[in-house]
Amino acid sequence: MSKWFMLTLVGKDRPGIVAHVTSALLEGGCNLGEASMMRLGANFTIMLMVQHDGTIKSLQSLISTEADSLGLHCHVDHVEGGLHQHEIPDVRISVYGADRAGIVAKVTTALAESGLNILDLESDVAGTEQDPIYIMHIEGHAAEGIESLQAALEVVCKEGIDASISPIETMIG
């Protein structure tokens, strides 16, 4: 078994999605790699590396009955495995601001231009419907150092966005 696929499933959240999907893959002879599964709003999304002997079409066929019964949209791509090739984050950035269009683009563009490789990004909208607050947490690798990222964030903060940056101390071994 050497072919890796990225299986993406999205649909309305309900109990049992992970159990049903992973059981169907196990029964189909698949091996699972890395995964990211989370609730976004009222939806549940799965990105799952699946090792499968067949083709994209055969994997779609294998999961289609379960996905249809759970009301999930399914997408499959062939990918390289790449397991055990992790880049370790060395910086954590938190961003808060009144929710408005463009916060993510503005902040991530400034950080990318200052050498940040984003490894993980999570966001949420808190506050109320009348006063929503956008919250974003980023972990990444600062190729040009934290000082470069700090300078980029200072420019963004002049537009009413609060941001903080801190190093991540990682112990390996």
Side-chain angles (χ1 to χ4, degrees):
M1 196 180 299
S2 62
K3 294 179 188 173
W4 283 98
F5 299 89
M6 186 64 69
L7 173 63
T8 307
L9 297 157
V10 178
K12 184 177 178 183
D13 190 25
R14 58 187 284 181
I17 291 175
V18 176
H20 287 282
V21 168
T22 56
S23 294
L25 293 169
L26 175 64
E27 291 170 12
C30 297
N31 183 39
L32 306 183
E34 297 175 7
S36 179
M37 304 181 194
M38 64 179 17
R39 183 182 165 104
L40 297 171
N43 307 291
F44 195 76
T45 182
I46 297 174
M47 290 187 301
L48 178 61
M49 291 178 66
V50 178
Q51 197 173 28
H52 174 63
D53 280 335
T55 63
I56 289 174
K57 191 170 183 170
S58 67
L59 181 55
Q60 286 173 324
S61 177
L62 188 151
I63 200 67
S64 67
T65 300
E66 205 64 49
D68 290 346
S69 73
L70 295 166
L72 301 172
H73 299 281
C74 175
H75 181 80
V76 178
D77 290 302
H78 183 264
V79 295
E80 293 183 23
L83 299 177
H84 314 290
Q85 298 176 14
H86 298 190
E87 188 168 353
I88 306 296
D90 61 3
V91 65
R92 179 175 295 120
I93 300 162
S94 297
V95 177
Y96 302 87
D99 188 27
R100 62 180 185 265
I103 291 177
V104 176
K106 186 170 292 283
V107 171
T108 57
T109 297
L111 294 171
E113 291 173 351
S114 298
L116 181 68
N117 181 21
I118 295 175
L119 302 174
D120 190 32
L121 185 153
E122 291 187 13
S123 67
D124 198 359
V125 179
T128 63
E129 280 192 46
Q130 295 77 28
D131 295 310
I133 298 170
Y134 194 80
I135 302 167
M136 180 167 52
H137 299 285
I138 301 170
E139 289 187 354
H141 178 73
E144 298 175 20
I146 289 180
E147 296 78 19
S148 176
L149 299 177
Q150 185 65 46
L153 288 175
E154 287 174 9
V155 171
V156 172
C157 286
K158 291 177 182 174
E159 298 179 25
I161 298 171
D162 291 329
S164 62
I165 186 168
S166 60
I168 297 175
E169 303 295 333
T170 304
M171 293 181 59
I172 298 176

